[in-house]
Amino acid sequence: MHELSVAQEIAHLVLNAASQKKAKSVLKIELEIGELSFLSLEQVEFWLKTCLENTIASKAKVILSSVR
């Protein structure tokens, strides 16, 4: 469940940044996640999309990549 707390924090940061810029929508979210974080990219994506439901970022394309 570590992925859930990480996704919640990412959603919080995305929505705060969008609010500060007075954005009407978020189109894309790109993230690089380090291999040593031991996070499942699929789980992070699932929870992030779940956390963003019913927000201005609900239709954002989520692009995750793993880096060393």
Side-chain angles (χ1 to χ4, degrees), residues 26-31 45 48-49 52 57-64:
V26 175
L27 302 176
K28 181 169 52 170
I29 300 168
E30 291 185 60
L31 298 169
E45 181 177 4
L48 181 56
K49 288 180 177 180
L52 294 173
S58 63
K59 296 184 190 224
K61 181 175 182 180
V62 177
I63 301 169
L64 301 176

Side-chain angles (χ1 to χ4, degrees), residues 8-68:
Q8 288 173 324
E9 184 61 26
I10 293 166
H12 178 74
L13 292 170
V14 167
L15 295 172
N16 278 345
S19 175
Q20 288 176 354
K21 296 183 182 286
K22 297 181 177 36
K24 295 183 185 199
S25 66
V26 175
L27 302 176
K28 181 169 52 170
I29 300 168
E30 291 185 60
L31 298 169
E32 292 181 341
I33 298 177
E35 287 180 358
L36 295 179
S37 68
F38 299 105
L39 293 170
S40 163
L41 296 183
E42 294 81 14
Q43 286 292 311
V44 171
E45 181 177 4
F46 171 81
W47 286 118
L48 181 56
K49 288 180 177 180
T50 300
C51 291
L52 294 173
E53 286 178 357
N54 302 314
T55 70
I56 63 168
S58 63
K59 296 184 190 224
K61 181 175 182 180
V62 177
I63 301 169
L64 301 176
S65 59
S66 180
V67 294
R68 289 184 173 204

